Amino acid sequence: MNYHWNKDTIMYFVQLSRETNMQEFSYKVMDFIERDCSTEEDETFQDLYDDLMDVILKEITIDRAKEIQNKYDE
C-alpha cells in the first residue's frame, strides 16, 4: 500500500539523516509515525513506518546523487 507523505516531512527526515546515526534516525521516524499518524482499517504503524522509510531512503539516494553530480560539474 502506498501513502501520501508531505514533502516537508520527507525533506525534514532527509536532513535529519545527515545529523544522526541510523539507530536514532530510525527511532525518530517511528516516533513521528506513532505520534503524528493514524492508521486506518487493515493498516499498522509498521506499514506506515515501512512506507515512509522507503520514501525517505529513495529521496536520500536522489539527494546524494545530486550532491555528487554537483561536485563533478564544478
Side-chain angles (χ1 to χ4, degrees), residues 6-43:
N6 181 297
K7 186 70 171 174
D8 290 337
T9 299
I10 296 166
M11 296 315 295
Y12 167 78
F13 284 115
V14 168
Q15 181 60 38
L16 186 65
S17 74
R18 297 171 177 272
E19 302 165 1
T20 60
N21 62 45
M22 189 59 182
Q23 182 178 0
E24 184 179 348
F25 174 75
S26 179
Y27 174 78
K28 291 198 179 269
V29 173
M30 183 54 87
D31 184 54
F32 167 78
I33 294 291
E34 291 175 345
R35 187 174 26 88
D36 294 325
C37 299
S38 58
T39 58
E40 296 185 11
E41 195 172 313
D42 297 329
E43 294 175 345

Side-chain angles (χ1 to χ4, degrees), residues 60-73:
I60 288 170
T61 302
I62 292 167
D63 187 58
R64 300 302 192 271
K66 287 179 185 176
E67 275 184 15
I68 292 168
Q69 185 61 46
N70 288 340
K71 284 183 181 181
Y72 285 115
D73 290 345

